[in-house]
Amino acid sequence: MPHDQYPDSLIRSVLEDVKTVAVIGASANPVRPSYFVQKYMIDKGYTVYPVNPGQAGKTILDRPCFASLSEVPEPIDMVDIFRASDAVPGIVEEALRLTPLPGVIWMQLGVVHEEAAARAEAAGLRVIMNRCPKIEYGRLSGEIGWTGVNSRTISSKRPVLRSGFQHRGLRR
């Protein structure tokens, strides 16, 4: 699959299907992008597992942090990678050793590795690169428009209001 553009239907499908997310490179520093992406995803109802060997045994956003994917105590639907592109092949290989396999490998903004993506896709995983699930969720739900950002999505349908502070579900 080409990885320079993704149809909204694919991203929406991923964000709707995923329930558990392992954030590789999770940070306990509240000004780091990995921290506020974790917080946003938790607020949207995802079960988030921080993974960072330097923070293992501690907590991030009141969740235990793990040293590796294999330590996460339940099956992972999505591996969200906040690491440099050269670390991606090792992370994908670790994800491919999990049973059951995660359904999605998601690489954050600026993170691209075509060979690792091809390896994951050959194993049946969906791959998204150089995108942020927080931004994509906000764009597809219409929430990002609250700040004046063009979401590229026009709809006459009323967003689905869900529990939580100003929480809008994804538009179908």
Side-chain angles (χ1 to χ4, degrees):
M1 165 180 213
H3 291 286
D4 52 344
Q5 293 184 357
Y6 300 95
D8 286 350
S9 59
L10 171 66
I11 294 174
R12 182 178 288 108
S13 171
V14 165
L15 294 173
E16 287 176 344
D17 294 347
V18 164
K19 303 294 180 246
T20 57
V21 180
V23 177
I24 310 298
S27 176
N29 184 340
V31 300
R32 297 296 303 257
S34 66
Y35 183 91
F36 54 82
V37 166
Q38 289 174 95
K39 182 172 182 353
Y40 184 88
M41 294 182 80
I42 290 166
D43 290 346
K44 297 304 175 195
Y46 295 96
T47 301
V48 175
Y49 291 100
V51 177
N52 181 333
Q55 296 291 318
K58 300 176 184 175
T59 61
I60 298 176
L61 292 163
D62 297 325
R63 282 153 175 74
C65 188
F66 300 95
S68 67
L69 284 171
S70 63
E71 294 178 15
V72 174
E74 72 174 293
I76 300 164
D77 296 326
M78 182 170 90
V79 176
D80 185 10
I81 303 174
F82 272 96
R83 296 285 313 278
S85 296
D86 61 352
V88 170
I91 295 165
V92 168
E93 289 305 317
E94 182 180 7
L96 292 176
R97 289 191 296 270
L98 296 174
T99 304
L101 288 175
V104 179
I105 299 291
W106 190 299
M107 299 177 218
Q108 281 292 331
L109 294 171
V111 182
V112 175
H113 200 288
E114 294 291 346
E115 294 82 13
R119 173 90 169 97
E121 287 173 332
L125 281 65
R126 294 184 284 181
V127 176
I128 308 277
M129 294 192 292
N130 195 27
R131 296 284 188 280
C132 175
K134 176 187 180 296
I135 292 170
E136 296 300 325
Y137 189 105
R139 183 177 69 79
L140 293 171
S141 70
E143 290 178 2
I144 202 167
W146 296 342
T147 62
V149 174
N150 180 1
S151 68
R152 301 187 329 258
T153 303
I154 298 174
S155 175
S156 61
K157 294 180 182 178
R158 185 178 299 261
V160 178
L161 182 61
R162 299 200 179 146
S163 63
F165 177 72
Q166 293 186 345
H167 180 93
R168 302 285 180 174
L170 295 173
R171 292 183 179 151
R172 293 194 180 267

